[in-house]
Amino acid sequence: MKRFVIDPWGFFLLKDYKKLIGQYGIEPLTPRMLSKLPEPNRLMRRGIVFAHTDFEKIIDCILEGRDYYALTGIMPTHETIHFGNKSVIENMVYFQEHGARTFVLVADLEAAATRGISLGESRRRALDFHIPAYLALGLDPKKTIFYFQSENQAVKNLAFCFAKRVTISEFKAIYGSVDAGRIMSALLQAGDILFPQLEKAMPGVIPVGVDQSPHLRLCRDVVRRTKRNFGFVLPAGLYHKFTPSLQGEMKMSKSIPGSFIGIPEEPERVRKKLMDALSGGRKSVEEQRRLGGRPERCMIFELYKHHLIESDEELDEIFQECRKGTRLCGECKAYAADLMERFLKDFGRRMERARKLVPKLTFVR
Ligand code: TRP
């Protein structure tokens, strides 16, 4: 089997998600597991969360009402986010609503060590945009514990303790290449992932884009090696597919203009970007009516599936109509733009409210 090195700081691209299964402890999320989850959300039902590590124990916690946590980190590399960043947040909301203690951290030290972004700049971006955006997308401010890596002494201490347990060759095997910033960030991320267990050892789930899976592998290795010192429970990972770029590459990215739809983004620009997006349409209307469209390779359909359409019946109807050639790209793109506009308007309103809550939040130190 060909082995991949997934570089979480690089531009990780892959044609076929199945190729990752079996590597890094990445297991498929089976229909049987999904059927046990109460009220699976859109992302779970549609295979957008497609793989996991050790997620069975989280399902058990949910079903048995036992303590567990969900944790994710924000690296404020940009002022705002885009549609590709939204799925992880939605799953954090799912776990919060299903009994998880929830933790969201700002990876300001990682942003400094790997992207050269100052701590002050990260802080400003996080408070102005990223944290209120997480609230606007549904996290409950009263039930979420926030911190900045730079202010969390316990996390930094964990990173130093873990440093003794990992070798450079292991880093190389997991991450491909190493430098000081990456090593420090990876150890810190292991600290983040285990921080909630300092109070009490318990299962935790880390929902992330699959490019972050190497961090889970390192963290789990560290847990095994520090069993006697810390007694942490092995953390679970839940892996998301990326939202494809509007041109059909593997993922939306802020580094490629026109590949993404921002949150927020001006309605006119959204419309223009959607009109320019890759669709599964044919060369002419006549041909499309005759042969039907190809929703399976259409980026508008991907947006419906990942983000815009909640009802599985409606999604299936669109798929069938497109296939039959009764639904044409122009009207379909206009519909997507309407849904997008509605979402963004609503998001704007929620943001206004969420921004007022930020000064009241307390951050772990
Ligand atoms: N490395 C993550 C990113 O690039 C941010 C992050 C830091 C994180 N600590 C974490 C993510 C812990 C999940 C869990 O965005």
Side-chain angles (χ1 to χ4, degrees), residues 14 38 41 81 85 147 176 193 199 210 218 223 260 286 288-289 348:
L14 181 72
N41 65 22
I81 55 173
N85 305 123
Y147 70 85
I193 293 174
E199 205 187 304
V210 69
L218 182 83
V223 167
F260 65 89
E286 181 278 320
Q288 188 149 342
R289 291 222 188 273

Side-chain angles (χ1 to χ4, degrees), residues 71-73 75 105 107 110 149 189 192-193 206 208 212 215:
L71 175 142
T72 192
M75 175 146 70
L105 63 103
E110 181 180 3
Q149 282 178 329
Q189 184 149 344
D192 287 327
I193 293 174
I206 318 298
V208 282
Q212 295 287 308
H215 291 307

Side-chain angles (χ1 to χ4, degrees), residues 246-247 261 267-282 288 294 297-304 308-309 318 321-322 327-342:
L246 297 175
Q247 280 75 42
I261 295 197
E268 280 320 302
R269 282 177 61 98
V270 170
R271 224 160 264 276
K272 165 109 184 43
K273 283 183 176 180
L274 291 178
M275 291 303 157
D276 294 343
L278 176 76
S279 80
R282 305 280 176 177
Q288 188 149 342
R294 291 158 294 184
R297 58 160 93 167
C298 173
M299 295 309 115
I300 303 296
F301 188 77
E302 287 292 318
L303 283 175
Y304 287 146
L308 296 175
I309 290 185
I318 292 178
E321 283 174 12
C322 174
R327 185 184 185 94
L328 297 178
C329 294
E331 53 176 296
C332 195
K333 285 180 165 178
Y335 182 55
D338 289 345
L339 294 179
M340 201 64 104
E341 198 173 324
R342 204 179 306 158

